[in-house]
Amino acid sequence: EDKVVQSPLSLVVHEGDTVTLNCSYEVTNFRSLLWYKQEKKAPTFLFMLTSSGIEKKSGRLSSILDKKELFSILNITATQTGDSAVYLCAVEAEDAGNMLTFGGGTRLMVKP
Amino acid sequence: DSGVTQTPKHLITATGQRVTLRCSPRSGDLSVYWYQQSLDQGLQFLIQYYNGEERAKGNILERFSAQQFPDLHSELNLSSLELGDSALYFCASSPRDWIYNEQFFGPGTRLTVL
């Protein structure tokens, strides 16, 4: 059974800090790893990492994938209060449609 | 706004009842997914449809069923409801199902079973 574990469970930082969120996974026939941000309701897509795209960056957010060690990290630099959310990591396997297996999430709170 | 719409936003019902949740995917998306999010289980995949056909199935209860119609909207039917079915139900959509493509989530339907 595919498994995704995120750490830490929760994190409190101050504006301007840099944070690193971790995601480790076990999946048969890995296809991709996705990061989502969930504020009040629907998860919103951040990044997709695959064998051919192991680093992604968008503004203050960046992510890398280590396929050998089976983990990914999401970095947020110069955090802002608007970054407060639950960050979800999910993996997708080959031959399983496009179903996503999600981790439990990391709850990030950024204080002014 | 992802472009995925779900109705209703909230639903309150009693144990033993049956409800139907509706989802309209983003324009042009052929795949629809249903997820359940509860406090103790996190976000769990239920089922995927691609262009009207069932494509993948997660740990969906036998009391739950879904379908995707020719206009690509989808419905999730939950029957013989139990207190433990109270959760946020998300629909997501993506363009195709055999290449890399991210899923876009709708706002969800919050189901409360009393």
Side-chain angles (χ1 to χ4, degrees):
Chain A
E1 187 177 313
D2 299 341
K3 191 176 174 186
V4 179
V5 177
Q6 292 185 245
S7 64
L9 230 56
S10 64
L11 200 50
V12 180
V13 301
H14 288 92
E15 272 192 317
D17 288 350
T18 293
V19 298
T20 298
L21 310 183
N22 304 295
C23 173
S24 64
Y25 63 89
E26 295 173 24
V27 60
T28 305
N29 296 326
F30 173 88
R31 177 192 282 166
S32 64
L33 184 145
L34 296 88
W35 284 97
Y36 284 84
K37 177 183 181 183
Q38 186 173 25
E39 295 175 89
K40 290 176 184 170
K41 275 283 187 84
T44 53
F45 173 77
L46 294 175
F47 297 120
M48 174 185 279
L49 301 152
T50 68
S51 300
S52 57
I54 60 171
E55 285 191 51
K56 290 286 174 72
K57 184 174 169 61
S58 176
R60 296 177 295 102
L61 275 65
S62 63
S63 182
I64 63 169
L65 173 69
D66 187 325
K67 275 197 68 183
K68 185 179 175 186
E69 300 298 329
L70 306 183
F71 76 87
S72 174
I73 63 171
L74 176 68
N75 277 319
I76 309 174
T77 60
T79 51
Q80 302 170 357
T81 54
D83 295 326
S84 297
V86 174
Y87 290 84
L88 297 165
C89 172
V91 294
E92 187 184 15
E94 299 279 1
D95 303 323
N98 288 91
M99 63 172 282
L100 297 178
T101 300
F102 281 87
T106 292
R107 182 174 296 278
L108 173 65
M109 179 182 291
V110 181
K111 291 188 171 180
Chain B
D1 185 357
S2 67
V4 178
T5 60
Q6 290 186 246
T7 56
K9 288 184 182 178
H10 303 277
L11 203 45
I12 301 175
T13 188
T15 54
Q17 295 299 304
R18 173 190 168 94
V19 297
T20 298
L21 312 184
R22 183 188 168 101
C23 167
S24 292
R26 295 184 320 158
S27 177
D29 283 0
L30 299 179
S31 270
V32 169
Y33 313 79
W34 286 98
Y35 290 86
Q36 179 192 58
Q37 188 173 41
S38 57
L39 284 174
D40 56 342
Q41 293 289 322
L43 199 52
Q44 302 272 318
F45 169 76
L46 294 177
I47 197 162
Q48 176 194 2
Y49 277 83
Y50 172 73
N51 205 19
E53 300 289 327
E54 184 183 300
R55 180 76 174 92
K57 210 167 185 176
N59 293 325
I60 186 168
L61 298 171
E62 283 192 18
R63 301 183 285 108
F64 296 1
S65 65
Q67 53 184 327
Q68 185 179 27
F69 294 86
D71 66 353
L72 300 178
H73 92 271
S74 177
E75 292 180 358
L76 178 67
N77 299 296
L78 316 175
S79 61
S80 303
L81 285 168
E82 302 175 359
L83 296 177
D85 297 328
S86 296
L88 200 47
Y89 291 84
F90 287 110
C91 169
S93 73
S94 67
R96 290 181 286 263
D97 77 332
W98 61 85
I99 62 170
Y100 307 123
N101 56 81
E102 60 267 29
Q103 297 177 24
F104 295 90
F105 282 75
T109 293
R110 181 168 294 282
L111 173 67
T112 303
V113 182
L114 301 174

